[in-house]
Amino acid sequence: MLTRNVLLLTGSIAIIGANSLVLSPVAASVAKSFVGIDAANVMTASAIYGLSTAVSALTLASTADRIGAERALLYALLVLSVALMGAASSPTLIVLCAAQALAGLAAGVALPAIYTLAAQIAEKGRESETLGVVLTGWTLSLVAGVSLSAVLADIVHWRAVFSLLAAASVGLAVAIGGSRNWGTAARADMPTSPFTALRVPGIVPVLLNVAAYMTAFYGLYSYLGPHLGVALRLPATFAGVAICAYGVGFGVAAPLGRLVDRYGTLTAATAAFAGLTLTYLGLAASAGHVFILMLCCVAWGVANHIGLNLLVRRLTQLDPQQRGAIMGLYSAITYFCVFVGALAYRPIFEQLGFAACALLSAACVVPALIGSFRRSSPDIVHKQL
């Protein structure tokens, strides 16, 4: 399953994910390079990146349906490399923000193209397994992006972090441009866009599940660090350990994709969303117990990986001719939920604490659980008959 192209897609997600995560651990170092700027100001560039990615996913991702997902990914990685070099050489915060805006435009095209190619090159009956491997790129970006970037910034300089990412992006672009066997793309009979994608039968309920799923994750994830540092008064190291625990769980779940292929997506969806609901309840119950909370973070990563796998696979199957536009909608919703989750959960965290946030996340997942159970029940009855 670890073919050259699968590894290239995994690496592409890792580079994009690393850039989206890297500013947080190096923000203090970046601030020292700019006069009159603090770490909070630096994170403005991260917010601009997220907004730019959402806009790009809505407006540009559908180009993959016309020119081919592999070409769209190639061009996006080249643009990303330019943006990352711009970030590495930024003389002011404004230039850094502009570079991250350009990086967001590239990411909004690249991510839908990656998911499209993952579905395109997967062997019949091994779709979830292939997608599971590709999704481990997020684990690489999460673990390496959070930990190694801070170390590199301390040992060398924060500019070296972006320079290294830029070089990796160029290398991936060259490798993707020289690679073949990307499968057969289903060309659209007419121009595609987010509006044509929204008319695909069955897409709206899935996108609503994506919105609830991502809000549940990003809302709670945003306040995991503050909970450990403020409420439990633990050193910052514990926040890094919790994030790594989540990343490890997300990564070790990759082989479970073959079980989804074996037992079917409906059965897997019911089990995954039930497990995720229980995990959020576990996070709420263990909010005051650090060791148990860390274990729950591992389970959180496992459940989130499987749930994400199922949602992405379902979307890529709805209309192969509009995969670019459909996955553009997915990416736009995802990055919008980064903003919504952090904003909506803040008053709950401040007034009621982390446990209440975890309970809200569990409630967000329940509709997806009920929907998957209803769809799987007739199938189970049919098999028994």
Side-chain angles (χ1 to χ4, degrees):
M1 203 71 264
L2 292 178
T3 65
R4 169 187 167 90
N5 288 349
V6 169
L7 291 175
L8 289 175
L9 296 180
T10 304
S12 298
I13 282 190
I15 295 301
I16 295 168
N19 177 63
S20 68
L21 295 167
V22 77
L23 269 179
S24 179
V26 303
S29 298
V30 175
K32 293 178 182 177
S33 299
F34 304 138
V35 178
I37 299 298
D38 59 20
N41 296 138
V42 171
M43 291 310 294
T44 302
S46 182
I48 290 174
Y49 169 84
L51 179 61
S52 178
T53 302
V55 172
S56 174
L58 278 177
T59 58
L60 300 177
S62 59
T63 57
D65 297 324
R66 296 190 294 273
I67 67 174
E70 65 275 17
R71 290 178 64 191
L73 178 57
L74 168 62
Y75 297 153
L77 287 173
L78 290 175
V79 172
L80 180 63
S81 67
V82 173
L84 291 170
M85 283 306 300
S89 58
S90 298
T92 65
L93 179 60
I94 293 177
V95 176
L96 178 63
C97 289
Q100 285 299 315
L102 181 61
L105 292 178
V109 174
L111 288 172
I114 290 169
Y115 294 133
T116 296
L117 288 170
Q120 201 170 288
I121 66 176
E123 297 178 20
K124 186 68 175 177
R126 303 184 73 178
E127 294 87 352
S128 288
E129 184 179 355
T130 301
L131 182 59
V133 174
V134 172
L135 288 175
T136 57
W138 290 112
T139 296
L140 295 175
S141 66
L142 190 64
V143 176
V146 170
S147 56
L148 296 184
S149 61
V151 174
L152 186 59
D154 286 338
I155 296 177
V156 185
H157 198 275
W158 67 265
R159 297 184 188 278
V161 176
F162 288 106
S163 298
L164 181 61
L165 290 176
S169 184
V170 171
L172 283 168
V174 171
I176 288 170
S179 186
R180 298 293 179 266
N181 303 319
W182 289 109
T184 303
R187 299 297 183 188
D189 298 327
M190 56 185 294
T192 62
S193 71
F195 301 104
T196 61
L198 282 173
R199 292 197 292 268
V200 173
I203 192 173
V204 173
V206 183
L207 291 178
L208 289 175
N209 282 341
V210 169
Y213 182 93
M214 293 301 179
T215 300
F217 169 70
Y218 284 110
L220 192 63
Y221 181 83
S222 297
Y223 296 100
L224 176 60
H227 170 67
L228 292 170
V230 179
L232 300 185
R233 299 180 181 179
L234 296 170
T237 304
F238 281 85
V241 172
I243 292 171
C244 285
Y246 172 87
V248 168
F250 196 94
V252 299
L256 298 179
R258 67 187 64 176
L259 298 179
V260 177
D261 294 323
R262 182 182 304 171
Y263 295 106
T265 55
L266 292 178
T267 301
T270 302
F273 293 130
L276 187 56
T277 303
L278 292 174
T279 299
Y280 281 128
L281 293 177
L283 287 165
S286 63
H289 307 281
V290 179
F291 180 73
I292 301 176
L293 185 63
M294 296 298 171
L295 293 178
C296 286
C297 284
V298 176
W300 189 16
V302 172
N304 251 357
H305 183 117
I306 299 172
L308 183 62
N309 187 314
L310 291 164
L311 289 171
V312 171
R313 178 176 174 179
R314 175 60 178 154
L315 287 170
T316 57
Q317 289 176 332
L318 287 175
D319 187 346
Q321 293 187 346
Q322 297 194 69
R323 278 178 178 151
I326 290 172
M327 296 315 299
L329 285 172
Y330 164 83
S331 295
I333 290 173
T334 296
Y335 279 89
F336 182 68
C337 287
V338 175
F339 171 76
V340 171
L343 186 67
Y345 276 60
R346 179 174 180 176
I348 298 172
F349 176 74
E350 291 176 342
Q351 297 297 322
L352 301 174
F354 182 81
C357 292
L359 291 175
L360 177 58
S361 291
C364 288
V365 179
V366 168
L369 171 60
I370 294 174
S372 62
F373 179 75
R374 286 177 175 175
R375 289 193 303 273
S376 64
S377 294
D379 187 55
I380 294 173
V381 172
H382 176 73
K383 288 180 179 179
Q384 289 176 342
L385 293 176

